[in-house]
Amino acid sequence: MKALLVLDMQNGILEMKDFSEERNKIKNIIKRFKDAKDLVVLTKHIDKDPNSPLAENTEKSDIDKEFAQYADLTITKNTPSAFFGTKLDSILKEKNIDHLYITGFNTEYCCLFTAITAFERGYKVTFIEDATGTVNDDDTYEMKGLDINDFVGCVLDWSGIIEVLYYEEFEEQYAASI
């Protein structure tokens, strides 16, 4: 069985840049999963630092209202992995989920860590590269010309253990089966 993980669609992240393309793709993927009656899990990253854009007990840490309505389950986390210190794994196993699709924010942190951890826990993992986004850019990492999504997607794809698709490939390969 399949489940969709939508990581950290929170106000504090989504207001930092124009993420309209990523938002539309993620919303369309969610609708496919909802139509198929497959599990949709949203995560909420909480930071203890009151200066963080995801500071605990603030509006910025809330999941965007447009997306919160779709959650069958919401997992609160405080590390880049949706599995570490949460009940996500036991819930997924209880529901006989064996294939996870990863979307959300930030590509190079929570999406990357969650994808790797999911594989390590025995799940088939599909990472939808352009249905992830990041507030960071090449200046953040002092690497001129770095395309963070492409870099993370390449690393995961080249690993040979995590399937990496673009949104259009997801639509072509999986839409009929979901």
Side-chain angles (χ1 to χ4, degrees):
M1 296 193 60
K2 301 174 188 81
L4 175 65
L5 296 181
V6 182
L7 302 169
D8 306 345
M9 297 295 291
Q10 293 166 261
N11 297 326
I13 291 173
L14 297 175
E15 67 187 24
M16 294 179 91
K17 283 168 86 170
D18 177 13
F19 290 116
S20 53
E21 285 186 40
E22 294 89 342
R23 290 172 70 104
N24 287 334
K25 289 173 184 173
I26 293 168
K27 190 172 12 169
N28 289 337
I29 294 166
I30 289 171
K31 287 179 180 176
R32 288 236 184 243
F33 274 77
K34 295 303 279 184
D35 289 348
K37 298 189 179 10
D38 287 323
L39 184 68
V40 175
V41 179
L42 272 68
T43 67
K44 179 179 178 177
H45 190 99
I46 298 298
D47 284 334
K48 300 282 185 202
D49 178 358
N51 298 315
S52 168
L54 301 178
E56 190 171 27
N57 299 319
T58 65
E59 243 182 68
K60 288 186 176 203
S61 71
D62 290 343
I63 294 173
D64 181 274
K65 289 179 183 167
E66 180 182 15
F67 291 90
Q69 65 180 323
Y70 296 115
D72 295 315
L73 172 68
T74 301
I75 298 290
T76 300
K77 63 186 186 61
N78 56 19
T79 72
S81 172
F83 289 92
F84 185 80
T86 72
K87 295 186 186 268
L88 179 59
D89 191 42
S90 61
I91 292 167
L92 295 174
K93 286 189 165 94
E94 182 180 293
K95 295 180 179 295
N96 296 314
I97 303 296
D98 59 4
H99 188 170
L100 296 177
Y101 291 77
I102 308 286
T103 64
F105 292 86
N106 277 325
T107 306
E108 75 278 28
Y109 288 113
C110 299
C111 297
L112 174 65
F113 277 72
T114 297
I116 292 168
T117 304
F119 168 77
E120 288 176 341
R121 294 190 181 218
Y123 297 96
K124 178 179 180 186
V125 179
T126 300
F127 188 93
I128 307 174
E129 181 179 318
D130 55 346
T132 70
T134 183
V135 300
N136 299 306
D137 58 24
D138 58 350
D139 287 335
T140 306
Y141 298 108
E142 299 176 1
M143 298 176 78
K144 194 76 175 150
L146 175 66
D147 180 327
I148 295 168
N149 281 34
D150 191 46
F151 177 73
V152 170
C154 285
V155 168
L156 290 174
D157 189 45
W158 291 351
S159 73
I161 58 174
I162 293 175
E163 177 180 45
V164 178
L165 300 176
Y166 290 110
Y167 174 77
E168 286 184 14
E169 293 171 314
F170 163 80
E171 284 289 314
E172 290 169 13
Q173 292 183 22
Y174 288 92
S177 68
I178 292 180

